[in-house]
């Protein structure tokens, strides 16, 4: 303990006045960023549990008598929210799993130094990051492939991403080449090396790619708006768009015989409750995936 305290004291003492000022400035900036991130989250969560009359007339109250689950009862009374939530879970998990598989299978060969045409292949991938076909050609492609108004139109088209490939490729290149060489001497082929040697060490980058893909798909609505006509296939984001942007909560939420003033109060409460419901999977996932970011994103990007 004394040795540890001595080292910490030594480290503190070697900091110049400029270093100390710079560290305090960083702490203030980080604290400010945390504040502007956390305060809206707390406000929206608290507002979603408020009594609608109190929320509209007085704002946030911390008195237990002003709290209510009315907003969540109204939200889950609407079939489109529940159906959209389940659809979004299916789309996000399927899309993320497919993204990880395709990224790993593409990045691992490209991480090999002796791959023939590696430079040409990477150049082709990078060009697609800046030049795309556009909305109309992409729509015609989806239509001609028979994926229009199906779940495949949401899961397949964007499943392979060049940025994810570069991250995974760089991560694979950071692993010791001696591992693959030792496995080759033991008689393992490339597929056995990938699944038995490389992938067990590549969990951080796989979790990071999964989280990136999940968040992107969970928040997206444009593809569903373009390619889906069946309301039973719509993700949660389209239902939220009607409530939050178009201000069109369904009759199941506000009630058929509700007065205009009460409808306004309930509509405001429903907005906050739907935001919390839509954010719930991401808020649950982030703490579990956070530990993989240091080994996954930082190693994959900095060494690249």
């Amino acid at each position: 303990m004394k040795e540890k305290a001595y080292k910490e004291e030594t480290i503190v003492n070697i900091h110049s006045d400029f270093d100390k000022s710079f560290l305090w400035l960083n702490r203030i900036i980080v604290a400010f960023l945390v504040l502007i991130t956390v305060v809206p989250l707390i406000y929206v969560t608290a507002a979603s549990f408020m009594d609608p009359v109190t929320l509209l007339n007085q704002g946030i109250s911390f008195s237990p008598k002003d709290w209510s689950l009315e907003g969540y009862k109204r939200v889950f009374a609407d079939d489109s929210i529940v159906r959209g939530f389940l659809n979004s879970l299916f789309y996000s998990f399927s899309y993320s799993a497919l993204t990880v598989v395709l990224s790993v299978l593409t990045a691992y060969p490209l991480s090999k130094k002796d791959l023939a045409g590696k430079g040409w292949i990477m150049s082709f991938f990078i060009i697609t990051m800046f030049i795309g076909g556009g909305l109309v050609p992409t729509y015609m492609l989806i239509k001609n492939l028979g994926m229009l108004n199906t779940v495949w139109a949401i899961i397949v088209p964007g499943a392979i991403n060049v940025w994810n490939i570069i991250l995974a490729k760089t991560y694979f290149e950071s692993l010791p080449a001696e591992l693959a060489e030792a496995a080759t001497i033991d008689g393992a082929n490339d597929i056995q090396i990938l699944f038995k040697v490389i992938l067990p060490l590549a969990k951080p980058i796989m979790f990071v790619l999964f989280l990136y893909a999940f968040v992107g798909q969970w928040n997206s609505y444009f593809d569903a708006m373009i390619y889906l006509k069946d309301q039973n296939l719509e993700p949660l984001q389209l239902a939220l768009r009607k409530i939050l942007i178009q201000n069109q909560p369904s009759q199941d939420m506000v009630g058929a015989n509700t007065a205009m003033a009460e409808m306004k109060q309930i509509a405001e409460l429903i907005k906050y409750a739907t935001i919390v419901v839509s954010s719930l999977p991401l808020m649950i996932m982030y703490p579990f995936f956070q530990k993989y970011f240091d080994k996954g994103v930082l190693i994959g990007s900095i060494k690249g």
Side-chain angles (χ1 to χ4, degrees):
M1 291 296 293
K2 291 182 178 178
E3 183 179 356
K4 183 179 178 182
Y6 173 76
K7 289 181 178 178
E8 291 178 351
E9 184 179 357
T10 304
I11 292 173
V12 170
N13 289 336
I14 64 175
H15 287 164
S16 65
D17 291 339
F18 176 79
D19 292 336
K20 293 177 182 177
S21 302
F22 185 72
L23 286 174
W24 273 109
L25 179 63
N26 280 340
R27 289 167 184 161
I28 293 172
I29 293 174
V30 171
F32 176 72
L33 293 176
V34 170
L35 195 66
I36 62 175
T37 304
V38 172
V39 168
L41 184 63
I42 295 175
Y43 181 87
V44 170
T45 304
S48 68
F49 287 100
M50 292 294 298
D51 175 71
V53 177
T54 305
L55 177 64
L56 194 63
N57 296 330
Q58 303 177 19
I60 300 295
S61 169
F62 293 98
S63 174
K65 67 179 183 180
D66 295 326
W67 287 55
S68 168
L69 294 176
E70 187 65 24
Y72 292 97
K73 291 179 182 177
R74 300 272 182 171
V75 167
F76 288 111
D78 183 16
D79 292 338
S80 67
I81 293 290
V82 179
R83 186 173 59 246
F85 188 87
L86 296 177
N87 286 340
S88 286
L89 279 180
F90 173 74
Y91 293 146
S92 299
F93 274 107
S94 303
Y95 174 83
S96 305
L98 185 60
T99 294
V100 172
V101 171
L102 294 178
S103 299
V104 168
L105 293 180
T106 307
Y108 179 66
L110 290 172
S111 68
K112 296 290 185 180
K113 295 180 180 178
D114 56 350
L115 178 68
K118 176 182 173 180
W120 287 99
I121 296 173
M122 282 305 301
S123 299
F124 174 77
F125 281 149
I126 292 173
I127 289 173
T128 63
M129 295 178 71
F130 303 99
I131 302 175
L135 178 60
V136 175
T138 305
Y139 179 87
M140 296 303 296
L141 177 63
I142 299 296
K143 181 180 179 182
N144 292 333
L145 290 175
M147 294 194 295
L148 209 60
N149 204 29
T150 68
V151 297
W152 305 113
I154 306 300
I155 297 173
V156 174
I160 191 161
N161 182 288
V162 177
W163 173 249
N164 291 340
I165 293 173
I166 293 174
L167 275 181
K169 169 181 167 293
T170 308
Y171 188 90
F172 290 142
E173 289 174 344
S174 71
L175 297 177
E178 291 79 8
L179 291 173
E181 293 173 0
T184 304
I185 293 173
D186 290 338
N189 56 36
D190 287 334
I191 296 177
Q192 290 172 324
I193 293 173
L194 173 63
F195 284 95
K196 293 185 178 180
V197 179
I198 302 299
L199 290 189
L201 299 173
K203 289 179 182 176
I205 193 65
M206 293 170 67
F207 277 111
V208 167
L209 295 180
F210 186 91
L211 183 60
Y212 275 175
F214 190 94
V215 173
Q217 184 58 246
W218 182 266
N219 290 327
S220 70
Y221 69 93
F222 187 74
D223 288 349
M225 192 170 61
I226 297 297
Y227 301 132
L228 298 180
K229 296 180 181 178
D230 187 353
Q231 291 187 347
N232 293 324
L233 298 177
E234 288 183 349
L236 177 63
Q237 304 306 326
L238 280 187
L240 295 180
R241 180 174 174 271
K242 294 175 183 176
I243 297 170
L244 300 176
I245 298 178
Q246 298 179 342
N247 202 22
Q248 295 176 355
S250 69
Q251 289 296 327
D252 291 335
M253 290 183 177
V254 297
N257 300 319
T258 306
M260 184 61 69
E262 186 180 357
M263 187 182 298
K264 184 178 179 182
Q265 297 167 351
I266 294 173
E268 192 70 14
L269 182 64
I270 287 172
K271 289 181 181 179
Y272 291 113
T274 49
I275 291 173
V276 174
V277 170
S278 65
S279 305
L280 200 57
L282 302 184
M283 289 192 288
I284 294 174
M285 288 179 65
Y286 265 120
F288 293 100
F289 283 71
Q290 178 64 37
K291 63 180 180 181
Y292 295 107
F293 268 76
D294 290 342
K295 295 181 180 178
V297 175
L298 294 182
I299 292 176
S301 57
I302 292 175
K303 289 192 176 181

